[in-house]
């Protein structure tokens, strides 16, 4: 596996692959990789001739009081995992390679999508995500890019950015990967103490409850959200940031479970903010997110 630290190394290699007629997949990550990321790489390997993973903790998507400084990192372990899963190249740039000191250009969606859900408490987050993903698209020029459904708002926003900016890239959404007990895999799970790790199961428990209600035909989105909040309320260590039902494509709040509905949540367990979600599909409208 090639380890590239500069934009020019990536461009040179991708150019060679493209001259050979090979297709290229991109798996953008912030490192500290787990089986969720591995599943993205596996999917990319199954659909593309060469796979590039980026491993870059992107400072522009962290707010001033967020965990940029402490975000977990283990590049050696990341390389091992990526190589084992058939990744062809990892792009591991320094911050200065991605952002010149005088960088002043951002990619930002100006409708309400980045203001919903996580955007309510993370106002600059999706501007940073769109900017770095757009840069990665320009650097790697992939045929396909792979994102996890766990960050469902991010996935919907990236699909929108790709449409709006006419990127010739297929965005592939991949299902949430869970621990055997249900907890969605996340690099931030590493922050949890054993007691918090146990308490965190309330998120997947609430997802299971909401999903079951939707499958049983509950059409009142508010009833599903309330039942999920009530369940989360039974865990003393959990503090709800939000539980909401929104249209999967527009992220606008919905009152009825019709079309493609994303039911998403962010919950604090101690100091750690965790997210989880499910998508309910009904009728003919909408597109599957995964
Ligand atoms: O999902 C992530 O890990 C990040 O938001 C991404 C897409 C790699 C951009 O930094």
């Amino acid at each position: 596996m090639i380890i590239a630290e500069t934009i020019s190394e990536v461009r040179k290699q991708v150019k060679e692959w493209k001259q050979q007629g090979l297709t290229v997949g991109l798996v953008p990550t912030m490192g500290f990789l787990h089986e969720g990321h591995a599943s993205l790489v596996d999917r990319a390997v199954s659909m593309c001739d060469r796979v590039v993973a980026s491993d870059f903790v992107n400072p522009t998507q962290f707010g001033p009081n967020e965990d940029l400084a402490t975000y977990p990192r283990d590049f050696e372990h990341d390389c091992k995992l990526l190589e084992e899963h058939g990744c062809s190249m990892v792009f591991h740039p320094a911050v200065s390679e991605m952002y010149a000191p005088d960088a002043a250009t951002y990619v930002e969606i100006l409708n309400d999508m980045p203001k919903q859900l996580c955007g309510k408490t993370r106002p600059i987050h999706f501007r940073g995500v769109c900017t770095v993903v757009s840069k990665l698209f320009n650097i790697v020029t992939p045929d396909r890019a792979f994102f996890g459904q766990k960050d469902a708002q991010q996935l919907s926003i990236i699909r929108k950015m790709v449409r709006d900016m006419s990127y010739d890239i297929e965005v592939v959404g991949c299902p949430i990967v869970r621990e055997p007990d249900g907890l969605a895999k996340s690099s931030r799970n590493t922050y949890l103490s054993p007691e918090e790790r146990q308490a965190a199961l309330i998120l997947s428990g609430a997802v299971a409850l909401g999903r079951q209600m939707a499958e049983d035909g509950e059409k009142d989105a508010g009833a599903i959200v309330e039942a999920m909040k009530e369940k989360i309320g039974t865990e003393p260590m959990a503090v709800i940031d939000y539980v909401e039902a929104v249209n999967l494509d527009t992220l606008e709040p919905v009152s009825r479970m019709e079309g493609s509905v994303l039911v998403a949540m962010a919950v604090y367990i101690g100091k750690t903010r965790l997210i989880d979600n499910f998508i309910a599909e009904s009728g003919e409208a909408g597109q599957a997110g995964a």
Side-chain angles (χ1 to χ4, degrees):
M1 183 179 69
I2 301 161
I3 298 177
E5 293 187 344
T6 64
I7 294 170
S8 61
E9 279 170 273
V10 176
R11 287 207 163 119
K12 191 164 167 279
Q13 186 57 62
V14 170
K15 196 170 170 194
E16 264 181 52
W17 287 334
K18 292 206 168 175
Q19 276 164 354
Q20 293 165 31
L22 301 172
T23 57
V24 177
L26 171 66
V27 179
T29 84
M30 295 209 301
F32 210 71
L33 305 181
H34 49 67
E35 284 162 47
H37 298 107
S39 76
L40 301 181
V41 176
D42 290 344
R43 184 82 180 273
V45 166
S46 75
M47 293 176 72
C48 308
D49 298 317
R50 296 289 181 272
V51 172
V52 179
S54 60
D55 188 315
F56 177 64
V57 181
N58 172 39
T60 63
Q61 67 189 74
F62 288 79
N65 300 317
E66 294 183 9
D67 57 346
L68 172 62
T70 56
Y71 195 82
R73 294 156 213 243
D74 188 346
F75 186 57
E76 215 174 293
H77 169 265
D78 293 348
C79 286
K80 200 163 163 283
L81 178 143
L82 290 170
E83 191 151 28
E84 277 169 13
H85 286 265
C87 182
S88 312
M89 173 158 67
V90 57
F91 177 42
H92 183 54
V95 173
S96 56
E97 180 70 7
M98 290 297 276
Y99 296 106
D102 63 346
T105 305
Y106 288 94
V107 177
E108 186 170 14
I109 294 181
L110 293 177
N111 68 10
D112 279 347
M113 291 179 81
K115 298 183 191 142
Q116 308 286 6
L117 305 176
C118 289
K120 287 181 188 159
T121 50
R122 307 189 74 190
I124 61 155
H125 177 66
F126 292 106
R127 183 184 74 166
V129 169
C130 285
T131 302
V132 80
V133 170
S134 163
K135 284 171 72 73
L136 291 168
F137 284 177
N138 291 330
I139 293 164
V140 179
T141 61
D143 299 283
R144 299 189 177 94
F146 298 79
F147 296 88
Q149 187 60 54
K150 177 164 167 287
D151 294 299
Q153 182 174 15
Q154 169 172 285
L155 180 52
S156 292
I157 284 175
I158 284 167
R159 288 190 195 282
K160 169 82 175 143
M161 179 185 85
V162 163
R163 286 196 301 275
D164 284 359
M165 301 302 288
S166 308
Y167 277 112
D168 188 14
I169 295 171
E170 181 191 348
V171 174
V172 181
C174 303
I176 297 177
V177 177
R178 297 182 180 278
E179 303 282 357
D181 61 8
L183 181 67
K185 299 244 181 199
S186 164
S187 303
R188 289 188 170 101
N189 290 349
T190 184
Y191 297 149
L192 301 169
S193 69
E195 296 74 31
E196 289 172 341
R197 168 71 183 69
Q198 189 58 31
L201 293 177
I202 201 68
L203 278 88
S204 50
V207 163
L209 172 68
R211 191 199 300 276
Q212 190 60 55
M213 288 175 74
E215 281 172 12
D216 289 346
E218 178 59 77
K219 288 287 166 207
D220 181 350
I224 293 180
V225 165
E226 278 318 306
M228 291 169 69
K229 283 184 172 169
E230 207 172 296
K231 181 161 180 80
I232 297 166
T234 62
E235 170 47 64
M237 293 180 99
V239 176
I240 295 174
D241 180 355
Y242 68 80
V243 182
E244 278 188 57
V246 298
N247 176 288
L248 178 63
D249 299 322
T250 65
L251 302 179
E252 277 165 19
V254 297
S255 55
R256 303 284 300 161
M257 299 298 287
E258 274 157 15
S260 301
V261 177
L262 166 67
V263 182
M265 68 174 81
V267 175
Y268 283 93
I269 303 289
K271 287 196 172 124
T272 307
R273 186 175 176 278
L274 299 174
I275 56 174
D276 205 340
N277 69 74
F278 69 95
I279 293 167
E281 303 275 357
S282 61
E284 286 168 17
Q287 48 137 38

